[in-house]
Amino acid sequence: MREFAERTLVPIITRDMERLIYTLCGIKKPRRILEIGTAIGYSAICYGFAAPEAEITTIEVRERSVYKARANIEEAGLKDRINVIHGKAEEILPDIEGYFDIIFIDAAKGQYRKFFDLCEKNMTHDTLIISDNVLYKGMPCDDSFIDERRNKTISRRMKDYLSFLSEDPRFETSLLAIGDGVALSYFK
Ligand code: SAH
Ligand code: MG
């Protein structure tokens, strides 16, 4: 899968991020996981193996990716525990019910705050929120890394999102330089 992703430029989690997921799931032993941004199912499968007791709900907007993800999940033998929902996260999230032990945010990089707000109703005082790619190739830290106009907006939004996560007193956040940057937040 990793080779396919590299060939087709699907931005899946890095190897070190994968290790982090195993470590966090090993400690937390999650039973319900919500993922925003499935792509071809790589990270969902990773959570599936890392958290053998978890039911995983994952949302993906691209139809072709949904098919690919479902096929990969079936091949991994995780069809019964991973549910791939096709649609825009902003439209699907309002209908998602119940609390999750882990919420993994890894879809459109400029919309993390919106995704976060939409799943706040699914967080409890035990929820770990993992936001991937928050350093966005360094752009939120240093404007000279910004290559395209579009990325300027994404970079600004990501910066705002990181400020929100670190300043809102309801959350405890730490930022790790793993993969493309990951924020671990805990709903206190
Ligand atoms: N989590 C995956 C990678 C996800 S890449 C892994 O590590 O294996 C980001 C994915 O989010 C892409 O497949 C993209 O199609 C999807 N996406 C982007 N915007 C979205 C939205 N608004 N709702 C749902 N999915 C979205
Ligand atoms: Mg990612």
Side-chain angles (χ1 to χ4, degrees):
M1 273 181 85
R2 191 163 274 288
E3 195 189 300
F4 174 87
E6 273 158 23
R7 198 159 22 89
T8 53
L9 302 177
V10 181
I12 62 170
I13 49 167
T14 57
R15 286 259 184 231
D16 49 354
M17 183 60 195
E18 197 173 322
R19 294 320 313 161
L20 180 66
I21 288 173
Y22 271 87
T23 306
L24 293 172
C25 289
I27 301 168
K28 198 156 173 57
K29 305 198 173 20
R31 290 191 170 269
R32 290 192 82 211
I33 297 173
L34 174 64
E35 174 182 74
I36 306 170
T38 320
I40 60 170
Y42 190 90
S43 52
I45 290 171
C46 177
Y47 279 105
F49 288 133
E53 292 178 2
E55 297 282 334
I56 301 163
T57 301
T58 178
I59 306 169
E60 171 57 52
V61 69
R62 266 187 84 217
E63 194 169 17
R64 283 188 58 173
S65 302
V66 169
Y67 286 125
K68 190 84 195 155
R70 285 186 180 140
N72 285 330
I73 288 164
E74 176 151 20
E75 203 174 319
L78 294 169
K79 188 163 70 97
D80 297 339
R81 288 198 291 121
I82 304 180
N83 179 23
V84 185
I85 301 178
H86 177 212
K88 283 188 179 173
E90 50 275 43
E91 289 168 11
I92 303 290
L93 286 172
D95 295 326
I96 299 283
E97 293 178 346
Y99 293 118
F100 290 88
D101 302 302
I102 291 180
I103 297 179
F104 182 59
I105 306 181
D106 193 21
K109 307 304 166 204
Q111 298 195 62
Y112 276 25
R113 179 63 197 272
K114 192 195 285 175
F115 299 146
F116 189 100
D117 289 346
L118 285 170
C119 49
E120 216 180 286
K121 66 179 190 330
N122 307 99
M123 296 174 192
T124 174
H125 291 289
D126 238 356
T127 302
L128 173 65
I129 304 109
I130 308 177
S131 308
D132 195 31
N133 305 91
V134 289
L135 291 179
Y136 202 60
K137 304 182 187 102
M139 294 179 211
C141 308
D142 185 339
D143 285 350
S144 68
F145 287 115
I146 298 173
D147 47 0
E148 297 169 27
R149 202 190 178 88
R150 189 179 80 95
N151 281 335
K152 193 166 183 163
T153 311
I154 295 176
S155 165
R156 182 178 41 76
R157 289 195 186 159
M158 198 54 102
K159 214 190 252 180
D160 291 345
Y161 178 67
L162 286 175
S163 306
F164 155 71
L165 283 184
S166 45
E167 285 159 20
D168 193 309
R170 293 171 303 159
F171 304 102
E172 181 68 52
T173 295
S174 75
L175 185 58
L176 306 181
I178 284 183
D180 193 18
V182 56
L184 300 183
S185 312
Y186 198 76
F187 196 175
K188 287 197 272 192

